[in-house]
Amino acid sequence: MKGFWTKLNYFVRGEAFLHIVTMFTILTMIMQLTLILFNIYLPTWSLRVITIIVALLWEVVGKILEQKPINLLDIFWSLVGGLITILIFRIL
């Protein structure tokens, strides 16, 4: 069982978890702000589009500002974070 906790620890401290949690936070804030400020309940399709745009922009801006290469795995994990958000708030 020690191996599981070690792997979980590495995952939580890793880049993938950072992207999942950050996208979850960003999408949750967008959903709540549009509901509070404009009284608009964003449809699920728009949340998918927002997730894709934010994931791509995040990597492009990171490439420009930090001079790092675009990492497709970072985009993937950001998309997973957006999907988790949509599943939690819309489907479950």
Side-chain angles (χ1 to χ4, degrees):
M1 205 56 164
K2 180 181 178 186
F4 170 77
W5 293 112
T6 303
K7 289 178 184 178
L8 181 64
N9 186 25
Y10 285 135
F11 176 72
V12 170
R13 292 173 31 189
E15 192 78 18
F17 190 71
L18 168 73
H19 284 274
I20 291 171
V21 170
T22 304
M23 181 59 77
F24 182 87
T25 304
I26 290 170
L27 206 54
T28 303
M29 287 173 41
I30 289 171
M31 288 171 26
Q32 291 301 313
L33 285 174
T34 56
L35 190 59
I36 291 169
L37 296 177
F38 307 112
N39 202 21
I40 296 173
Y41 190 74
L42 293 174
T44 303
W45 67 266
S46 68
L47 295 175
R48 291 182 193 142
V49 171
I50 291 169
T51 299
I52 293 169
I53 291 171
V54 169
L56 292 174
L57 281 177
W58 188 352
E59 283 301 308
V60 170
V61 169
K63 176 175 178 36
I64 293 169
L65 293 179
E66 299 175 8
Q67 299 297 316
K68 66 174 189 150
I70 291 177
N71 188 347
L72 294 178
L73 265 177
D74 289 349
I75 295 172
F76 171 76
W77 288 117
S78 296
L79 294 174
V80 168
L83 179 64
I84 290 171
T85 307
I86 293 168
L87 285 173
I88 288 174
F89 287 106
R90 296 299 162 96
I91 296 174
L92 298 180

